[in-house]
Amino acid sequence: MTSPHIDPDPQGHQHDHSHSHGPAAPVSKHLRKVIAAVLIPFAAAVVVGLAVLWPGGAPPHERTGVGFDRQTQQGKVVNVDKVDCKEVNAAQMPTSGETTPPSGSGPGLCEKATVEVTTGHDKGRTFVEIVQPDAPRQLREGQGVVVAYAPDAPHDLQYSVTDVNRKFPMTLLAGIFALVVVAVGRMRGVMALIALAVSFAVLTLFILPAILQGSNPLLVAVIGASAIMLIALYMCHGLTARTSVAVIGTLISLLLIGLLGSLFIGWASLTGNTDDSTGLIHGLYPHIDMSGLLLAGVIIGSLGVLDDVTVTQTSAVWELHQANPTMGARGLYRAAIRIGRDHIASVVNTLVLAYAGAALPLLLLFSIAQSSVGTVANSELVAEEIVRTLVGSIGLVASVPVTTVLAALVVSADRTGLGAEAGAPAPVRTGRGRRRRTKP
């Protein structure tokens, strides 16, 4: 008499319906021990690394008043009047956080905005901000703004508008994003949002402060990225062998990205100090290894896409094995790698376009200067993005066969695990190797 959980199909295959449309079937106890023997020491090393390098907060420093390193408060535009630019000497007045325009600017109507400070020890204090007609950011009455405070400046010039307050639209957009994720993903969506919050917590509470404290950026990035990977993958996909295979595939790919990134960043003499932001960081914290910071960014930036690729490939192998349990490791690899090749094409294109989109203003500047492709690629600003893109893409491409091989070996080696731990009898091979039957 056959088990009620298993129904033969016309091809002679049998499917365990308790697993085919639900979570992945558990693997055998022996394979679980093998996977645990690999992952438990790795997870323990990550925990030890977090404990040893835990920074306890960013180190204090005196404000320079340059760029982002300024004291800021919230403010509100309470009144806006139109005035003649010549009357208010617009060429020498603050212009909403923008650079001071050259003297002798043309005539026109400027905006004379009265701004009230709404937070801090000067709450209720007002100051005047002059906005020229061609300024990229105009102010309107009732608008929330961010104001910079310079305590060493003359009293009338201590406050200036540096940006607008975007908290409400950004919060609303985040809320819409969360609702869409939960509505479509349901419980998986909830877990994904929790994992996202944990990832940001690791980034802001460990990775960034630890680098500022002087720890090696590459070591901090590897430990932090590993922690994010373990937490995010197991929270979103469950504590299963399938997830564990994806974790191992992601880890191997991250190691490859780290090695290639270290080699080519050093070979190409990339300093990581290429713009005002990195220059300010280097000025405030000269002990930080900027090239190491660049490599850390490559590793962290590649992690999110790597998770997607490895989980997809592992799931593909598991589903193929459940659809045809007689398929061996070679057949599983060949079938799953065809899925992976399609994934590679789309992911690499996505990654390159994402970096190109982020660097679009820079590329426009080179286009305006009519620089050749070789000149553009040789500049450090662009060379950094090229190395970042190509190293990340090599790791992504390599993750497909690596993860597929691991998954195919695991499921094909597990002859009795599928269904055996769920209460169903283990299938037994006949002499022909095709027909499968179960014990009565």
Side-chain angles (χ1 to χ4, degrees), residues 137-220:
R137 182 171 56 245
Q138 301 294 315
L139 301 179
R140 65 177 186 277
E141 189 172 331
Q143 184 178 30
V145 292
V146 178
V147 297
Y149 175 59
D152 297 332
H155 184 269
D156 292 340
L157 300 177
Q158 285 183 331
Y159 283 96
S160 62
V161 175
T162 185
D163 210 341
V164 298
N165 190 331
R166 304 181 180 89
K167 289 184 179 179
F168 178 74
M170 299 298 286
T171 303
L172 179 61
L173 181 59
I176 295 172
F177 164 73
L179 286 175
V180 171
V181 170
V182 173
V184 177
R186 300 190 180 181
M187 196 59 201
R188 285 290 182 90
V190 173
M191 298 307 293
L193 291 176
I194 296 174
L196 180 63
V198 172
S199 299
F200 272 106
V202 172
L203 182 65
T204 56
L205 298 179
F206 172 71
I207 295 177
L208 299 180
I211 292 175
L212 291 177
Q213 291 282 11
S215 299
N216 184 282
L218 176 58
L219 182 60
V220 170

Side-chain angles (χ1 to χ4, degrees), residues 83-360:
V83 295
D84 191 330
C85 291
K86 289 185 176 180
E87 292 181 5
V88 295
N89 195 15
Q92 300 175 13
M93 295 294 289
T95 56
S96 302
E98 304 297 329
T99 56
T100 303
S103 57
S105 55
L109 290 178
C110 292
E111 290 182 347
K112 182 180 180 181
T114 302
V115 182
E116 179 184 355
V117 181
T118 57
T119 60
H121 65 280
D122 283 334
K123 182 178 179 180
R125 176 177 167 179
T126 60
F127 64 94
V128 173
E129 183 85 6
I130 303 299
V131 184
Q132 294 189 81
D134 58 348
R137 182 171 56 245
Q138 301 294 315
L139 301 179
R140 65 177 186 277
E141 189 172 331
Q143 184 178 30
V145 292
V146 178
V147 297
Y149 175 59
D152 297 332
H155 184 269
D156 292 340
L157 300 177
Q158 285 183 331
Y159 283 96
S160 62
V161 175
T162 185
D163 210 341
V164 298
N165 190 331
R166 304 181 180 89
K167 289 184 179 179
F168 178 74
M170 299 298 286
T171 303
L172 179 61
L173 181 59
I176 295 172
F177 164 73
L179 286 175
V180 171
V181 170
V182 173
V184 177
R186 300 190 180 181
M187 196 59 201
R188 285 290 182 90
V190 173
M191 298 307 293
L193 291 176
I194 296 174
L196 180 63
V198 172
S199 299
F200 272 106
V202 172
L203 182 65
T204 56
L205 298 179
F206 172 71
I207 295 177
L208 299 180
I211 292 175
L212 291 177
Q213 291 282 11
S215 299
N216 184 282
L218 176 58
L219 182 60
V220 170
V222 168
I223 293 173
S226 299
I228 291 172
M229 174 184 66
L230 290 170
I231 294 170
L233 285 179
Y234 282 119
M235 284 188 68
C236 294
H237 305 286
L239 193 63
T240 64
R242 181 165 70 180
T243 307
S244 298
V245 171
V247 167
I248 296 173
T250 304
L251 175 62
I252 294 172
S253 302
L254 280 178
L255 290 175
L256 176 61
I257 289 173
L259 290 173
L260 285 175
S262 178
L263 173 63
F264 282 95
I265 286 174
W267 197 359
S269 300
L270 299 178
T271 63
N273 189 1
T274 53
D275 55 24
D276 293 339
S277 298
T278 54
L280 178 59
I281 292 171
H282 185 65
L284 294 174
Y285 300 96
H287 58 273
I288 293 179
D289 179 10
M290 298 305 293
S291 61
L293 187 62
L294 172 62
L295 180 56
V298 173
I299 292 174
I300 295 172
S302 302
L303 178 61
V305 189
L306 269 178
D307 288 352
D308 173 40
V309 172
T310 55
V311 168
T312 299
Q313 285 306 112
T314 308
S315 298
V317 173
W318 245 260
E319 294 300 324
L320 286 167
H321 184 66
Q322 286 185 326
N324 185 3
T326 62
M327 191 181 295
R330 186 183 296 271
L332 285 170
Y333 176 81
R334 287 176 175 174
I337 202 67
R338 287 195 291 269
I339 301 172
R341 291 190 185 106
D342 290 337
H343 206 181
I344 286 172
S346 59
V347 166
V348 169
N349 195 44
T350 299
L351 193 64
V352 171
L353 290 179
Y355 283 126
L360 199 57

